[in-house]
Each structure stands twice: as C-alpha cells, then as structure tokens.
Amino acid sequence: MPAADDAEVRARVAAEFGVWSAAEAGRRIGSRGHSPTAVVRRWAAQGKLLAVPVAGLDHYPAFTFGADGRPRPVVARLLGTGRSGWELVAWLVEPSAALAGARPVDLLDSAPDAVVAAAGR
C-alpha cells in the first residue's frame, strides 16, 4: 500500500472508529485496576488485540473491542492469518469480494468465521 493510502486509511479509521492509546483504551473499557493500561497491554501481548503504531507507540483500533469492553475473539484469529498492524486494519475497512462486497469490519460479530477465512486468502 502506498504511503499516501496509508495516511488516508489511518485518518479514515481514526475518524470512523477511533484509534486509542493504551491509557485511553483502559479508561474506555472501564479498567479499574492500578494501571488502566495494564490489562490492555496484557491482552495485546497475549495476541488478543490488534495494535498499530501511532507516533511510535502502540494504539488500538476501537473496533477490536467488543461491546463488553473485552477483545473480540475474532481478533486473535485474524492475527493468526499473517496480516497485522495497519495492513490488517486497511484490509478490514475496505469492501472485500470474498465477503460479497461487505467490509470485514462490519462482519466481525455476525460472521467471524467468514472474515477469518477471507483474511487467510
């Protein structure tokens, strides 16, 4: 993906979904521990969250969290497909022919198996 596309995708994802620092993610999910970042960083280290670099620090697209504040289980499966970081984010937010033109991000809850299969192609 060309650098110009990178910047456009990053801006679009930030505007549509949000891309949170570990501290912001911790607060938004209601982490009440000693450090709101600890649980987010632990999940990322366990391969449960999709991290993307922003200004040299890991940030997390808001769509990687479910309504309950926990990582969506499908995210760990997607990270096992060989895509990661902004490359995976860009794929998730673009319509996919393998998903009948739907954006994978819109199917994370309703069709996770189909999204994972499409990501692995």
Side-chain angles (χ1 to χ4, degrees):
M1 172 179 348
D5 289 343
D6 266 356
E8 187 273 330
V9 167
R10 292 171 193 220
R12 191 163 35 100
V13 170
E16 183 174 354
F17 301 102
V19 180
W20 303 335
S21 68
E24 184 177 4
R27 284 191 302 274
R28 287 182 179 251
I29 66 170
S31 177
R32 304 218 189 282
H34 180 294
S35 169
T37 64
V39 68
V40 173
R41 288 191 174 132
R42 184 176 68 244
W43 286 337
Q46 293 169 342
K48 295 179 181 180
L49 282 180
L50 169 57
V52 294
V54 174
L57 299 172
D58 282 344
H59 282 62
Y60 308 91
F63 61 74
T64 63
F65 297 92
D68 63 357
R70 299 187 56 77
R72 283 189 159 105
V74 68
V75 172
R77 295 174 57 204
L78 287 167
L79 291 171
T81 65
R83 298 177 194 240
S84 63
W86 284 111
E87 176 193 3
L88 178 55
V89 170
W91 180 82
L92 284 164
V93 300
E94 294 297 328
S96 172
L99 298 168
R103 296 186 317 171
V105 71
D106 297 326
L107 303 175
L108 292 177
D109 292 327
S110 62
D113 293 337
V115 172
V116 172
R121 293 185 189 137

